[in-house]
């Protein structure tokens, strides 16, 4: 079985299991878990921010961030592909009573001009008050695309001009940082809050850290509690995250290399209509005949994701070995040429 649906299908490595077994733990609801505290401190320092908090999932961390930035009735701005809008169960409205203004970006990325045009005039009381912009980096439904700092700077300037918060859904931020050779602190400077997932390319069973400015983060632990995310001896999972920071960050480059190679092979196949640019570990592509393609994959015990509207998705990850990669490329060439 070659599972390319997502980078979330990985299982802990022996080294990570060892780190979990040896973790020092305590009751994190009392903030007495040394491993969770160490992870939060390490992430805050890495991004040059004053505060960080561990969450069980990326969705909960994003939802908490949105809650921290907004009041009911307000509106946030995001791309039409945004995870916070599409894949968090309607949590923006359920948890925060907030609506989303969707922008028609490119590969899930939006521009400062689009953001500025989408802001409702604050004195026009008929419209919801715009208070937050959410970016995603890398983009998921957008195909693993990365923002450059110039674009982020322009968006930040618009947020400052209009008094809007700026949140980064960085579920795969480490992929972007490795692919673009960026310094995490440069993200810390530009965003008010940032989520980073460990359960994606970094290969832990669970875990996301929300990093942010002190004034916002002061209330984060209460919001996490309200969402049911206060956890006890969570240090076992924090230890897995610390292990991932030491051992699974640089290797993301291997996932990116494999994804690029998959993209190139797909591009060369007559059955494949279009392959989105491959920047990190996600390959989004369109085929002539989806059911023939998916049947061929099924026959070879390969699973990919169907993203709807003719888009298919492959994601490379820690458990996608070199041997699997050669086999997958071979099957693509043989069955689809
Ligand atoms: C996976 C993901 C999340 C968080 O998902 P969870 O499954 O709740 O951990 C958030 N944003 C993006 C872009 C993602 O890909």
């Amino acid at each position: 079985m070659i599972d390319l649906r997502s980078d979330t299908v990985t299982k802990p490595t022996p080294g990570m299991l060892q780190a979990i077994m040896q973790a020092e733990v305590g009751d994190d609801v009392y903030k007495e878990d040394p491993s969770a505290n160490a992870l939060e401190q390490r992430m805050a320092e890495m991004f040059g921010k004053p505060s960080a908090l561990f969450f069980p999932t990326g969705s909960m961390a994003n939802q908490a961030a949105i809650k921290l930035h907004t009041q009911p009735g307000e509106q946030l701005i995001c791309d039409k592909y945004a995870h916070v809008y599409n894949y968090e169960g309607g949590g923006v409205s359920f948890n925060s009573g907030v609506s989303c203004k969707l922008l028609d970006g490119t590969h899930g990325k939006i521009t400062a001009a689009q953001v500025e045009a989408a802001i409702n005039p604050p004195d026009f009381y008929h419209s919801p008050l715009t208070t937050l912009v959410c970016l995603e980096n890398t983009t998921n439904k957008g195909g693993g695309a990365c923002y450059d700092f110039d674009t982020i700077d322009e968006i930040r300037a618009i947020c400052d001009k209009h008094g809007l918060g700026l949140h980064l859904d960085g579920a795969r931020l480490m992929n972007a940082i490795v692919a673009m050779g960026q310094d995490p602190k440069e993200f810390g400077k530009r965003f008010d809050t940032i989520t980073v997932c460990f359960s994606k390319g970094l290969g832990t069973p669970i875990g996301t850290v929300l990093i942010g400015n002190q004034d916002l983060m002061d209330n984060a632990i209460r919001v996490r509690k309200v969402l049911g995310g206060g956890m006890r001896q969570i240090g076992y999972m924090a230890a897995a995250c610390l292990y991932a920071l030491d051992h699974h960050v640089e290797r993301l480059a291997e996932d990116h290399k494999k994804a690029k190679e998959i993209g190139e092979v797909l591009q060369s196949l007559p059955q494949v209509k279009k392959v989105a640019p491959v920047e990190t570990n996600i390959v989004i592509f369109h085929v002539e005949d989806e059911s023939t393609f998916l049947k061929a994959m099924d026959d070879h015990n390969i699973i990919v994701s169907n993203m709807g509207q003719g888009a298919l998705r492959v994601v490379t990850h820690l458990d996608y070995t070199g041997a699997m990669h050669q086999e997958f490329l071979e099957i693509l060439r043989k069955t689809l040429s």
Side-chain angles (χ1 to χ4, degrees):
M1 163 89 87
I2 301 178
D3 193 344
L4 288 164
R5 284 172 299 172
S6 174
D7 46 8
T8 55
V9 300
T10 59
K11 306 215 169 92
T13 60
M16 185 178 283
L17 282 174
Q18 196 69 23
I20 293 170
M21 298 278 283
Q22 290 167 350
E24 267 188 73
V25 298
D27 188 336
D28 185 54
V29 170
Y30 293 120
K31 289 310 291 166
E32 285 172 3
D33 187 295
S35 303
N37 291 341
L39 175 66
E40 289 166 356
Q41 195 181 340
R42 182 159 169 193
M43 290 299 283
E45 277 167 14
M46 183 187 284
F47 284 85
K49 284 287 202 205
S51 184
L53 191 65
F54 185 79
F55 282 77
T57 69
S59 297
M60 193 192 282
N62 279 334
Q63 291 301 315
I66 291 165
K67 185 74 189 157
L68 293 170
H69 279 281
T70 60
Q71 294 299 321
E74 295 178 349
Q75 189 165 72
L76 66 79
I77 294 173
C78 63
D79 183 81
K80 63 185 185 298
Y81 286 164
H83 195 280
V84 296
Y85 173 72
N86 288 286
Y87 302 123
E88 296 182 9
V92 174
S93 48
F94 189 93
N95 297 313
S96 297
V98 164
S99 58
C100 298
K101 175 98 115 212
L102 302 181
L103 299 183
D104 188 17
T106 308
H107 304 306
K109 294 187 292 182
I110 56 180
T111 66
Q114 286 179 308
V115 169
E116 189 159 40
I119 299 169
N120 294 324
D123 53 354
F124 189 68
Y125 57 79
H126 307 278
S127 307
L129 185 67
T130 309
T131 47
L132 175 65
V133 176
C134 293
L135 304 186
E136 196 171 301
N137 195 33
T138 71
T139 63
N140 177 344
K141 205 175 177 187
C146 305
Y147 275 92
D148 56 57
F149 285 129
D150 287 346
T151 306
I152 297 171
D153 283 339
E154 287 161 20
I155 294 173
R156 176 78 252 182
I158 296 301
C159 290
D160 289 343
K161 182 174 156 195
H162 296 272
L164 313 181
L166 184 58
H167 171 68
L168 177 59
D169 175 356
R172 294 187 181 81
L173 186 54
M174 289 302 177
N175 292 83
I177 283 169
V178 167
M180 306 279 282
Q182 292 160 328
D183 177 352
K185 289 193 177 59
E186 295 298 318
F187 287 96
K189 275 186 207 160
R190 289 163 170 88
F191 289 90
D192 302 310
T193 48
I194 301 172
T195 50
V196 176
C197 287
F198 288 85
S199 51
K200 303 271 165 87
L202 297 180
T204 73
I206 69 166
T208 292
V209 172
L210 173 66
I211 306 145
N213 296 345
Q214 199 60 53
D215 56 332
L216 290 163
M217 293 301 288
D218 279 345
N219 207 26
I221 199 161
R222 180 185 297 277
V223 171
R224 185 182 70 175
K225 184 76 180 174
V226 170
L227 295 174
M231 296 165 290
R232 303 296 178 174
Q233 286 71 27
I234 200 59
Y236 292 113
M237 292 299 107
C241 298
L242 286 163
Y243 179 90
L245 287 176
D246 290 333
H247 299 94
H248 293 171
V249 176
E250 277 89 45
R251 67 151 304 285
L252 291 170
E254 289 172 36
D255 297 344
H256 301 165
K257 183 164 174 283
K258 288 185 182 125
K260 266 211 172 64
E261 289 167 3
I262 293 168
E264 281 160 16
V265 170
L266 285 169
Q267 194 87 65
S268 73
L269 302 172
Q271 280 205 33
V272 177
K273 283 195 290 194
K274 193 172 77 184
V275 183
V278 181
E279 295 183 38
T280 51
N281 69 330
I282 300 178
V283 188
I284 292 198
F285 58 103
H286 295 253
V287 291
E288 289 295 346
D289 179 2
E290 246 172 71
S291 53
T292 312
F293 182 86
L294 292 172
K295 167 91 173 54
M297 292 298 103
D298 197 42
D299 289 346
H300 290 94
N301 282 324
I302 295 165
I303 6 186
V304 306
S305 277
N306 191 339
M307 302 293 279
Q309 287 136 13
L312 300 175
R313 188 188 75 171
V314 154
V315 188
T316 57
H317 53 75
L318 190 57
D319 288 357
Y320 176 62
T321 62
M324 288 176 184
H325 184 52
Q326 292 317 317
E327 189 184 336
F328 180 52
L329 295 182
E330 200 46 40
I331 288 164
L332 284 179
R333 290 196 193 97
K334 263 204 276 200
T335 56
L336 297 168
S337 49

